[in-house]
Amino acid sequence: MSAEPIRSGSEYDPTSWPEAKQVPGFAGDTGEFATLSEADVRGSAYVGQRPADGGHASVAGTLPYQVATSRADAPLFVGPYEDRLEKVLSRYPDRQAALLPALHLAHELRGHLSPQTQDEVAERLQLPPAYVRGVATFYTMYNLAPVGKYLIQVCTNISCNLCGGDAVLESFLKHTGTDLGEVSANGLWTVIEVECLGACGFPTAVQINERYFENVRPENVPAILERLV
Amino acid sequence: MAEPTPTPENVSVTIDGMTLSVPKGTRLLDACAQAGVSISHYCYHPGLSAPAQCRMCLVEVEKSPKLVASCVGTVADGMVVHTQSENALKAREGVLEFYLVNHPLDCPVCDQAGECKLQDYVSAEGPPMGRSKEPKRVLGRDDFGGDVMFYADRCVMCTRCVRFMREVAQDERLTTVQRGSRTVIDTFYDEGLTGNIWADNIVDLCPVGALVSKDFLHKARAWDLDRTPSVCPNCSMGCNVRLETRDNQVMRLKPRPNPEVNAHWMCDFGRLNYSWMNRVDRIEAPLVRDGGRHVPMSWADTLTRLADALRGAAGGARAVVSPFEGNEGIGALRRVLEAVGGGDGVFRCEQGEEVILPGFPELALRRDRAANVVGAELFGFARTGGADGKGGLEQAAAHTGVLFVLGDELADAPADFGANASLFVYVGQHLAPAARNAHFVLPATTFAEMEGTFTNIQRRVQRFWPAQRAPGMARPSWQILGVLLAGISEAGAPGTAADAFAGLGAVRAEFGQLSWAELGAQGAVLPGVRELQETGD
Ligand code: SF4
Ligand code: SF4
Ligand code: FES
Ligand code: FES
């Protein structure tokens, strides 16, 4: 089974996107999602349904969009990314506070935060590079080294572990033919083990890039991988 | 903010049963210190911000639901503090136990052994037995560049070093990377501390042996060192330092706090520039020229002959002094010059780039790379030569009267330097080739071997003390020149550096207004400093 081709935003009525709630601390739409349709963001295969190969209807609406198109040499903060960074900067009292979202932008573009990338972010935000490194290494969700096109994060924390998370991890390693943290020869896969993904109700939880797969069993793994390529 | 607060409001606090009155806003830790109780602490340093990171300084405050970190807690009126209560002691013991979980027990080889705050605190109030059975983490070491080496296992994550680089050096090259039990201090990948001349201060700051000086590594044990208060002689800033010696060798320099001059800091240029104090090619006996050779002679004979020669000398006098000499020696030479009819004097000083410490701009590695340029100028010596400390000796070389050289090594002087002089007196430490023409060669001590004062760029007169034994018969230049002066004039011979200092008033009145005893360990500014600065003198 292969993934449904992602449709362009114009085919969808953007008005179906709910109005952003003005919660305290929310300083306006950053424009990050302006060109994305609801389906782009949520993944049409998930909305309101429980796919056979994992996922749960109750959380389908919260599923974020999937990004699998980063390029390690993509230019940082140009064009729309420049605009997005400007928006991000305008939301925070100082540049230091904007560091996490700025790193996220760089991460989204390049797939990982190399020393070079960290330095460029530091330069753009006029922060000391060493400080940026401290922040980048503090959060596990930034990749500091290149990963495959699909980063498969298998939860082996308590709930998932009780429900066979280790076996799922093993299965992913076997079917991608990689070791933990390694990029597969075809550049497609990197499998890592993570602490709780916050989906403890539906173990085993697996996050592939930005998308969640739930109730994953070792035997689901080949189908999931096949769907992605 | 602009509201003037002439007298700070005082509050009364009770610390371990002792009630004292301290200004409002005082840190608990400082208030405790005033009550004579020293609270253990790692992350707090008086020159840095206090993040309450290490949790070592916990004390119990009555009516407070939990223990208070005394480095951030401030006093309030009526506060009752217990530093030795069961709770407080237990908490600190617990904190220490956590520190010991991963701290390597390599004290016998650690460079900080003997000066380590972990050792001190554990012996004072740590757990009597370790309970940890797990193997300790091993993180290895890292060369941070410059003079700094990092032993990651020993780090207690107080972040003093990170905050120093951020707040004081304002060149944030250190940070904490990774998280939880893996956290270590690191630089930005391969970019180390190289190039920041203030970086070695983090070695002093580090409360444990995590940051060490490559220069000092494994050279000596802290408890083998003798420590002498002194003044860094390597630029005209005059940072207050300790000369740390073993077996008569200077092993390292450490800053000594002086809020007016260098706060708690010093630069690496000065810190690492001490090997010249250990030089061995010294003149060890007075030498008097007899035809083509120099004959060693006793001080009494030498100075008697020299005084006789000076009394008959004609042609005026000239002098070259070194700005590494103390005020007393330079002032005494000025008086000798006056006694033999007056004459010009010059000094030469190497110059370099001025490097300010951004977080404490009063402190900078100054252009003049010698301690007493201001003193030499005040005593009427004029700068000559280039920024490399060379040249400018033409007039002295051509002089046909009495020629004095004090301290200057004359490394670049021509071989016949002083050959024209009717009387050439060389007072110095090293027998430079040009000094071989001298009629009298008088061995003087370096500043590290004697007592005396330097005048720094703020016109602050600061004392230094003898840290090394003088070689052979070498004597402080103020003594040599002072006795000589007594021999050719009415002046009395100085017996001590204090006498020599008192004699300076005869040359510059400002010095007469300072008293040796009042200089103390922190020095005093020359009176009239403002007028002098305003006239651009
Ligand atoms: S290296 Fe030393 S100063 Fe720096 S955080 Fe560790 S213990 Fe503190
Ligand atoms: S600033 Fe000058 S006086 Fe201070 S340590 Fe450096 S060289 Fe020595
Ligand atoms: S334990 Fe796996 S998602 Fe929480
Ligand atoms: S000195 Fe108070 S918490 Fe570190």
Side-chain angles (χ1 to χ4, degrees), chain B residues 197-198 231-241 253 255 261-262 265-271 273 355 363-366 368-371:
Chain B
I197 68 148
W198 304 99
V231 175
C232 172
N234 292 316
C235 88
S236 53
M237 189 71 226
C239 290
N240 290 208
V241 298
L253 264 58
V261 183
N262 57 317
W265 326 116
M266 73 183 291
C267 78
D268 295 2
F269 173 83
R271 182 193 297 266
N273 192 356
V355 188
L363 173 58
L365 167 62
R366 301 292 178 175
D368 286 325
R369 300 291 156 83

Side-chain angles (χ1 to χ4, degrees), chain B residues 122-337:
Chain B
V122 169
S123 85
E125 43 191 32
M129 291 291 260
R131 288 184 292 174
S132 162
K133 292 198 176 64
E134 293 74 19
K136 289 174 188 281
R137 67 177 184 181
V138 177
L139 295 170
R141 70 189 76 164
D142 192 359
D143 185 345
F144 274 3
D147 184 43
V148 183
M149 181 81 110
F150 177 55
Y151 285 72
D153 314 294
R154 296 179 192 151
C155 173
V156 296
M157 288 312 296
C158 67
T159 69
R160 278 186 189 187
C161 52
V162 177
R163 281 174 287 134
F164 174 83
M165 292 308 288
R166 177 183 305 155
E167 297 165 11
V168 185
Q170 294 183 11
D171 180 11
E172 195 170 344
R173 302 207 204 180
L174 291 181
T175 188
T176 52
V177 303
Q178 296 299 336
R179 62 206 91 82
S181 61
R182 284 184 225 133
T183 312
V184 285
I185 303 297
D186 208 348
T187 58
F188 187 67
Y189 300 95
D190 292 337
E191 176 189 278
L193 295 168
T194 311
N196 189 307
I197 68 148
W198 304 99
D200 246 4
N201 287 303
I202 64 177
V203 173
D204 307 332
L205 283 176
C206 184
V208 294
L211 294 170
V212 296
S213 156
K214 287 190 251 173
D215 176 70
F216 183 68
L217 192 59
H218 305 317
K219 265 204 335 209
R221 309 273 73 201
W223 57 84
D224 280 342
L225 295 169
D226 293 317
R227 297 169 169 83
T228 311
S230 191
V231 175
C232 172
N234 292 316
C235 88
S236 53
M237 189 71 226
C239 290
N240 290 208
V241 298
R242 292 191 321 246
L243 289 185
E244 306 208 347
T245 51
R246 196 197 60 193
D247 300 339
N248 209 34
Q249 300 278 302
V250 177
M251 289 287 159
R252 64 176 180 183
L253 264 58
K254 286 274 183 191
R256 177 165 64 91
N258 186 337
E260 305 295 326
V261 183
N262 57 317
H264 308 271
W265 326 116
M266 73 183 291
C267 78
D268 295 2
F269 173 83
R271 182 193 297 266
L272 300 174
N273 192 356
Y274 60 82
S275 59
W276 57 270
M277 299 173 206
N278 297 333
R279 256 176 81 173
V280 288
D281 55 333
R282 297 283 296 270
I283 313 170
E284 299 206 8
L287 305 172
V288 180
R289 193 151 84 205
D290 174 16
R293 60 198 190 107
H294 279 117
V295 187
M297 212 172 265
S298 74
W299 271 113
D301 288 350
T302 309
L303 289 177
T304 315
R305 280 180 189 225
L306 176 52
D308 287 345
L310 275 177
R311 270 193 294 266
R318 277 190 174 275
V320 179
V321 303
S322 157
F324 282 93
E325 291 289 330
N327 293 319
E328 294 74 15
I330 298 179
L333 179 58
R334 172 50 67 196
R335 292 180 74 186
V336 170
L337 291 180

Side-chain angles (χ1 to χ4, degrees), chain B residues 32-162:
Chain B
C32 290
Q34 283 176 37
V37 186
S38 59
I39 306 288
S40 41
H41 58 278
Y42 291 130
C43 66
Y44 171 66
H45 182 281
L48 304 171
S49 62
Q53 171 109 358
C54 70
R55 315 317 286 185
M56 197 57 248
C57 64
L58 297 173
V59 296
E60 193 172 352
V61 175
E62 273 182 22
K63 300 207 185 71
S64 160
K66 52 179 193 162
L67 298 176
V68 173
S70 62
C71 63
V72 287
T74 52
V75 293
D77 200 29
M79 205 178 232
V80 183
V81 183
H82 301 286
T83 70
Q84 305 297 320
S85 70
E86 199 183 318
N87 262 348
L89 282 173
K90 204 166 139 240
R92 294 207 294 268
E93 187 180 315
V95 172
L96 277 171
E97 187 170 8
F98 272 114
Y99 277 116
L100 290 173
V101 165
N102 276 313
H103 196 90
L105 297 179
D106 61 351
C107 307
V109 296
C110 173
D111 234 33
Q112 193 93 343
E115 292 179 331
C116 169
K117 289 295 177 200
L118 191 62
Q119 274 184 351
D120 293 354
Y121 297 154
V122 169
S123 85
E125 43 191 32
M129 291 291 260
R131 288 184 292 174
S132 162
K133 292 198 176 64
E134 293 74 19
K136 289 174 188 281
R137 67 177 184 181
V138 177
L139 295 170
R141 70 189 76 164
D142 192 359
D143 185 345
F144 274 3
D147 184 43
V148 183
M149 181 81 110
F150 177 55
Y151 285 72
D153 314 294
R154 296 179 192 151
C155 173
V156 296
M157 288 312 296
C158 67
T159 69
R160 278 186 189 187
C161 52
V162 177

Side-chain angles (χ1 to χ4, degrees), chain B residues 477-521:
Chain B
S477 54
W478 54 258
Q479 189 173 8
I480 301 169
L481 295 163
V483 171
L484 183 62
L485 180 68
I488 57 173
S489 74
E490 299 299 303
T496 62
D499 295 346
F501 183 78
L504 295 179
V507 193
R508 289 291 300 211
E510 308 91 301
F511 280 91
Q513 294 170 43
L514 292 182
S515 103
W516 178 255
E518 278 165 20
L519 291 182

Side-chain angles (χ1 to χ4, degrees), chain B residues 438-460:
Chain B
H439 298 100
F440 291 86
V441 176
L442 309 178
T445 57
T446 66
F447 88 105
E449 296 154 352
M450 65 171 169
E451 239 185 303
T453 58
F454 290 138
T455 310
N456 84 350
I457 194 164
Q458 308 158 313
R459 286 169 199 263
R460 191 179 189 83

